[in-house]
Amino acid sequence: MQFVDETSITVEAGRGGNGCLSFRREKYVPRGGPDGGDGGHGGNVYLIGDESLNTLIDFKFQRFYKAQSGQQGQGRQMSGRAGDDLHVKVPVGTTVIDEDTLEVIADVTAEGQVVLVAQGGRRGLGNIHFKSSTNRSPRRTTPGTEGERRKLRLEMKVMADVGLLGLPNAGKSTLIRAVSAAKPKVANYPFTTLVPNLGVVKIGTHEHFVMADVPGLIEGASDGAGLGLRFLKHLTRTRLLLHVVDAAPFDESDPVAAVEAIAQELEQFSPTLSELPRWLVINKLDLLPAEDREARVADIVSRLGWQGPVFQVAAISSDGTGELVQAAHRWLTEQRQLENEDEEAAERERDMRRRMEAESVERVEAHQTRLRVKRGEIVDEFDDDDDDHDVEIEYTR
């Protein structure tokens, strides 16, 4: 199945039914009076989180979703039938954004979570509502109102506890294959991973966590270079980042420069994302002579001034990966326990998630605006003066 994590759709709620203009007509009832019923309310449009979905590909083929309209009222004070609501399933981890206002409507983060995205139109009133002592035969009704229509952008972010990041060919896919049942493509060239991959890392019988392998980032990723801007946002769902670096790059590039370049891209994309706990994972040490490994690790850590945890692994042979996943599991368990026991800690975590989401949306919107300006779809709306400001105009008689 093709992985699609961004798409746009249009949703339209049902229109409310019109009120009925009717008068009672029965034998032996010459002055029956008004009996026009009300119309039915229009149906609403809802989005529902569904964990069985892992892509937005279905929305590539169907872009328009409309709820049922309400029926108009009838005589004998019979109200019209309300329109049926429309429920649209979306993957858990989907952010819903109004494309016109850029407002984040909702973040679907749980199975069965229901989000109202388009309100149905109100019903119209029949003429029975307008009778009075001075108006015995009202001919007034009200029409139903139109249902809300919205253009939405859906952005799906994978739900994972741990995210892998690093330059292309750093060994991220090999690492997730070594610690989980995920089988992403692995090859001896950059950009073998084109979509995020999720793997469940099992620790014992009933304990596990989810790891995400995000496509490799390059310098300029936060400005749209390579695959970066599209996939950086997936890291905002994670709790812990594992920064994978190649200890022995085939092009003899500097591992320290690789780490610093990715750290700078994180900062530019989202300052809050760059504050997430990040561990250094030095990979491919099996490509170095045994006597040189400790010196290479010490040199990288020293020049980076790294203060956080450091792990030495050879993912292709699973050396050192057991210690890494055990440490990650302990850290995740401690964090969840802290948030369950301390409401302030839980609120800090929620606030951090909100800030990351806002920064992510802002960065993506800025990039899309630049592209639209470049394509000529947007002009500078403030440049409405035809005068050449570089020319001085002198008036003479």
Side-chain angles (χ1 to χ4, degrees):
M1 179 182 295
Q2 182 182 358
F3 181 84
V4 177
D5 62 349
E6 291 183 2
T7 190
S8 294
I9 63 173
T10 300
V11 295
E12 184 176 333
R15 187 182 189 281
N18 297 329
C20 176
L21 176 62
S22 173
F23 294 92
R24 185 179 178 189
R25 290 292 183 266
E26 293 183 24
K27 192 175 183 180
Y28 307 122
V29 186
R31 299 179 181 177
D35 67 349
D38 303 332
H41 294 302
N44 302 324
V45 181
Y46 296 94
L47 300 184
I48 301 180
D50 189 342
E51 290 183 342
S52 66
L53 302 177
N54 55 14
T55 177
L56 296 172
I57 190 170
D58 291 340
F59 298 99
K60 286 290 186 180
F61 303 104
Q62 183 177 349
R63 301 276 192 167
F64 183 71
Y65 296 84
K66 188 178 189 308
Q68 189 178 42
S69 296
Q71 295 180 348
Q72 71 177 28
Q74 301 178 36
R76 300 185 180 180
Q77 302 184 32
M78 290 190 294
S79 297
R81 183 177 180 274
D84 292 335
D85 295 332
L86 179 63
H87 296 83
V88 182
K89 293 182 179 180
V90 296
V92 172
T94 300
T95 300
V96 187
I97 302 171
D98 189 311
E99 286 208 335
D100 294 326
T101 65
L102 304 184
E103 172 194 3
V104 177
I105 298 173
D107 215 1
V108 183
T109 58
E111 169 74 15
Q113 181 180 347
V114 179
V115 177
L116 174 65
V117 292
Q119 179 71 51
R122 301 293 298 176
R123 66 182 183 182
L125 301 179
N127 66 336
I128 191 174
H129 288 279
F130 301 99
K131 67 179 180 180
S132 67
S133 60
T134 58
N135 187 3
R136 301 294 183 88
S137 56
R139 296 183 176 275
R140 177 187 174 189
T141 63
T142 59
T145 61
E146 294 292 338
E148 192 175 14
R149 182 186 177 98
R150 270 179 162 175
K151 189 173 183 181
L152 306 176
R153 187 169 80 248
L154 306 181
E155 295 184 355
M156 194 197 80
K157 304 179 182 69
V158 296
M159 303 291 288
D161 302 299
V162 177
L164 304 179
L165 75 156
L167 290 179
N169 218 32
K172 302 183 297 298
S173 296
T174 304
L175 177 58
I176 199 172
R177 286 172 68 102
V179 301
S180 74
K183 300 298 179 186
K185 181 180 179 180
V186 174
N188 190 27
Y189 55 85
F191 295 111
T192 52
T193 301
L194 298 178
V195 300
N197 292 292
L198 294 181
V200 178
V201 182
K202 292 187 176 181
I203 310 293
T205 306
H206 301 293
E207 298 180 325
H208 65 273
F209 64 87
V210 179
M211 180 180 288
D213 169 26
V214 177
L217 306 175
I218 61 175
E219 189 171 355
S222 60
D223 291 321
L227 302 173
L229 190 61
R230 181 178 176 187
F231 295 117
L232 267 168
K233 63 179 182 290
H234 290 286
L235 296 177
T236 62
R237 298 287 192 194
T238 61
R239 289 172 169 266
L240 174 65
L241 301 177
L242 300 183
H243 196 145
V244 183
V245 59
D246 187 348
F250 68 90
D251 59 356
E252 298 183 355
S253 58
D254 187 4
V256 173
V259 174
E260 292 175 341
I262 297 300
Q264 183 177 1
E265 295 305 320
L266 288 179
E267 171 69 26
Q268 292 180 351
F269 179 77
S270 167
T272 306
L273 176 60
S274 67
E275 297 173 3
L276 276 184
R278 183 160 52 99
W279 296 356
L280 185 63
V281 180
I282 302 178
N283 190 25
K284 301 187 181 181
L285 286 172
D286 54 319
L287 299 180
L288 296 173
E291 61 273 14
D292 295 340
R293 296 173 186 174
E294 291 297 331
R296 175 63 63 88
V297 171
D299 176 65
I300 294 174
V301 173
S302 174
R303 288 196 290 140
L304 281 174
W306 193 268
Q307 301 297 323
V310 179
F311 295 86
Q312 305 175 36
V313 303
I316 195 168
S317 60
S318 299
D319 291 344
T321 58
E323 178 185 355
L324 172 62
V325 298
Q326 290 286 350
H329 180 256
R330 286 194 300 270
W331 186 88
L332 291 169
T333 302
E334 292 171 359
Q335 286 299 115
R336 293 192 184 99
Q337 183 176 359
L338 175 62
E339 292 171 18
N340 290 334
E341 297 175 353
D342 187 346
E343 180 58 33
E344 291 186 2
E347 180 56 34
R348 286 195 300 269
E349 177 70 17
R350 290 190 291 268
D351 178 65
M352 181 181 66
R353 298 292 160 190
R354 287 191 291 266
R355 285 187 284 119
M356 277 195 295
E357 182 62 36
E359 292 165 357
S360 171
V361 171
E362 181 180 1
R363 191 70 181 183
V364 173
E365 287 298 336
H367 175 66
Q368 291 181 343
T369 300
R370 288 196 299 270
L371 291 179
R372 293 172 65 186
V373 170
K374 187 175 181 180
R375 292 194 298 262
E377 297 176 8
I378 300 178
V379 297
D380 188 352
E381 59 186 46
F382 299 103
D383 186 15
D384 56 358
D385 191 349
D386 293 333
D387 289 340
D388 187 345
H389 296 286
D390 297 329
V391 178
E392 183 178 352
I393 301 175
E394 181 179 352
Y395 297 94
T396 61
R397 293 185 178 180

